Amino acid sequence: MLFKNLALSAELLQAIEKQGYDEATPIQEQAIPLVLEGKDVLAGAQTGTGKTAGFTLPVLQLLQQSHRPGQKPYPKVLVLTPTRELAAQVHESVRDYGRYLPFRSAVIFGGVSINPQKQKLIKGVDIVVATPGRLLDHVGQRSIDLSKIEILILDEADRMLDMGFIRDIRKLLNIIPKQRQTLLFSATFSKEIRNLASEFLKQPAQIQVTPENTAVELVSQVVYPVDKKRKRELLSQKIGEGDWQQVLVFTRTKHSANKLAKQLDDDGITSAAIHGNKSQGARTKALADFKAGGIRVLVATDIAARGIDIQKLPHVVNFELPNIPEDYVHRIGRTARAGQKGHAVSLVCIDELKLLRDIERLLGSEIEKINPPGYDVDPLIKAEAIRNGGGRSSPRNRGNSRDHGMSDGRGRGNRRAAGGRRS
């Protein structure tokens, strides 16, 4: 469906055209009319489906309809996101689509000085995009008034629950008005998400534009079996042979990301790492350089990559498989966005076979295996792995080593109790 057929204002259609779009994605086509009707919405949508515009456009239109010229702005719309990068991405979308409208917006997250954020809030804003922890800091310092919020959006709610933000979310929901419109977006409809929806949403319209926990169909997936010690060598070879110019590479830990980025640089492949221990400025610069083509490879941990939105990212590489199968789906969803085709490569060593089987079980099919010439797996290692049961024990029994440092910015450790970390 064309955007001009979705009852959007002339100012919004002009902004959409400037962004180079004319046809709505399925999530936009379904969500925009429901939001404009004032309904609560529970939406299941993977990254890359256009969900941000799916709530940004109708929310801007609702503000436009109720706007009173000359009145000092106050926060009417609150968007909560799990990470700083995603908050920045959503805020950019608000500015792009609202460029011809008179509304002010602010983005609030940790890891940077709180004072410039306070100054912007004092001047008055209509839309606030925030991570939960830093927003609570502002509430505690009385630099923001949430008593007149009319619309609440929980973006990537599954990730916010996974990162332990439920207590912070409940605190915020006790502050904002109960009479409001609430929109909840999640990649999956887990039991926890449905419980959250039943607690905070009122008779929501439900949308699910992609099957639950399935990979994007436009992504071609391949597994290269390779010894752990030769992964970096194979990766460099593939990037060189294929002349890959924009490659997002995933590791499980911050240390692995730093080490791999340095090794690739030594191989003559310009690279940078982003993760929770990097400063906000360093992450922002690395991402900007990657988008502009100044950096060929961006090495990221799972949480660090949540805010990465690159329209035509061609290659995603799993240098290390994730411990949680669902994270594989999120990773490869970084490519094949907005109808583009994408390529996902996984370099799998013998002690990751259990992780690979868990991923294939989630997908409901096997991923194609290709044995790269000259990279035969060491038979001694293979025999040892077979004697030990084919790989490591289930990751769910070992705990989760994913990098959750992105949510903090204050130098805290990777794990915290259910109360969650401040963003």
Side-chain angles (χ1 to χ4, degrees):
M1 179 181 288
L2 297 176
F3 279 109
K4 66 181 181 181
N5 297 326
L6 286 171
L8 294 171
S9 69
E11 292 84 355
L12 288 172
L13 290 175
Q14 185 180 358
I16 292 167
E17 183 179 4
K18 188 172 181 64
Q19 290 297 105
Y21 302 120
D22 55 14
E23 190 168 348
T25 66
I27 186 66
Q28 294 162 358
E29 182 178 338
Q30 294 182 55
I32 289 173
L34 293 171
V35 178
L36 290 176
E37 290 174 22
K39 293 183 178 180
D40 284 9
V41 173
L42 172 61
Q46 301 279 357
T47 55
T49 56
K51 64 180 174 63
T52 303
F55 63 76
T56 300
L57 289 167
V59 163
L60 285 167
Q61 174 130 333
L62 290 175
L63 285 180
Q64 190 178 6
Q65 292 169 355
S66 62
H67 179 58
R68 296 178 184 177
Q71 185 181 58
K72 181 181 177 179
Y74 58 84
K76 306 175 191 70
V77 176
L78 173 60
V79 185
L80 292 178
T81 72
T83 68
R84 308 162 193 165
E85 278 71 19
L86 183 58
Q89 174 192 321
V90 172
H91 186 242
E92 184 179 354
S93 180
V94 169
R95 288 187 302 181
D96 287 342
Y97 292 119
R99 67 173 66 239
Y100 302 114
L101 297 173
F103 306 121
R104 298 179 183 176
S105 60
V107 60
I108 291 172
F109 49 71
V112 296
S113 172
I114 198 170
N115 292 322
Q117 296 173 358
K118 284 184 177 180
Q119 292 303 314
K120 187 146 194 177
L121 292 172
I122 288 171
K123 292 179 181 177
V125 297
D126 301 275
I127 303 169
V128 175
V129 184
T131 50
R134 175 52 67 90
L135 183 58
L136 281 173
D137 288 341
H138 280 282
V139 170
Q141 297 184 31
R142 301 183 181 277
S143 52
I144 191 169
D145 179 8
L146 300 177
S147 66
K148 297 180 181 178
I149 292 294
E150 300 168 5
I151 304 173
L152 169 68
I153 298 111
L154 301 173
D155 192 16
E156 298 206 0
D158 54 333
R159 184 58 57 167
M160 282 198 279
L161 292 186
D162 186 45
M163 292 170 64
F165 285 136
I166 186 61
R167 287 187 184 178
D168 286 352
I169 292 171
R170 284 202 171 97
K171 287 178 184 177
L172 290 166
L173 287 169
N174 285 331
I175 296 170
I176 67 176
K178 296 193 183 307
Q179 293 301 317
R180 64 175 187 270
Q181 184 178 9
T182 305
L183 315 175
L184 188 155
F185 288 78
S186 174
T188 60
F189 281 168
S190 64
K191 180 181 178 181
E192 292 77 13
I193 287 295
R194 293 186 185 279
N195 289 341
L196 186 70
S198 65
E199 186 176 349
F200 298 138
L201 277 65
K202 296 177 181 178
Q203 299 179 325
Q206 185 168 314
I207 305 169
Q208 188 158 15
V209 297
T210 52
E212 189 171 343
N213 291 339
T214 58
V216 181
E217 291 182 1
L218 291 173
V219 181
S220 63
Q221 303 170 61
V222 64
V223 165
Y224 291 115
V226 59
D227 288 335
K228 184 176 182 178
K229 63 184 179 182
R230 300 195 68 191
K231 281 188 178 186
R232 190 270 311 158
E233 180 186 346
L234 177 58
L235 176 59
S236 293
Q237 180 178 318
K238 286 295 177 185
I239 292 172
E241 283 180 351
D243 194 26
W244 297 353
Q245 291 302 316
Q246 217 171 21
V247 190
L248 177 59
V249 179
F250 284 96
T251 62
R252 280 197 296 269
T253 68
K254 306 167 191 174
H255 173 73
S256 295
N258 286 335
K259 180 180 178 182
L260 179 59
K262 184 180 184 307
Q263 289 175 331
L264 291 173
D265 257 338
D266 291 342
D267 288 344
I269 299 170
T270 53
S271 307
I274 60 170
H275 52 66
N277 282 356
K278 294 281 186 178
S279 70
Q280 182 65 35
R283 288 196 304 275
T284 301
K285 183 180 186 305
L287 184 55
D289 289 345
F290 184 59
K291 287 183 176 181
I295 289 174
R296 195 168 178 181
V297 175
L298 190 64
V299 187
T301 52
D302 288 291
I303 297 298
R306 289 297 280 191
I308 296 175
D309 185 15
I310 300 170
Q311 199 73 355
K312 296 182 179 180
L313 178 67
H315 305 286
V316 168
V317 175
N318 294 292
F319 188 78
E320 297 168 329
L321 290 182
N323 285 331
I324 304 300
E326 287 82 0
D327 282 348
Y328 174 86
V329 177
H330 290 305
R331 287 181 178 189
I332 70 171
R334 294 290 134 193
T335 185
R337 299 169 82 90
Q340 302 289 327
K341 291 185 178 181
H343 184 46
V345 169
S346 297
L347 308 180
V348 179
C349 62
I350 202 74
D351 60 355
E352 293 176 303
L353 291 180
K354 174 65 171 64
L355 301 179
L356 178 60
R357 285 197 295 269
D358 288 344
I359 290 167
E360 290 178 329
R361 190 176 300 114
L362 175 69
L363 297 177
S365 62
E366 289 191 9
I367 304 171
E368 181 185 9
K369 305 341 181 262
I370 297 177
N371 292 302
Y375 289 88
D376 294 335
V377 177
D378 189 324
L380 294 177
I381 297 176
K382 187 172 184 179
E384 179 66 22
I386 292 172
R387 283 197 298 272
N388 292 331
R392 296 173 175 173
S393 60
S394 170
R396 297 187 186 275
N397 295 329
R398 294 197 316 273
N400 184 356
S401 65
R402 288 176 297 168
D403 169 29
H404 284 189
M406 181 57 62
S407 65
D408 195 298
R410 295 176 179 148
R412 296 175 185 166
N414 273 0
R415 297 200 187 106
R416 186 173 172 177
R421 283 177 304 231
R422 294 287 175 96
S423 294

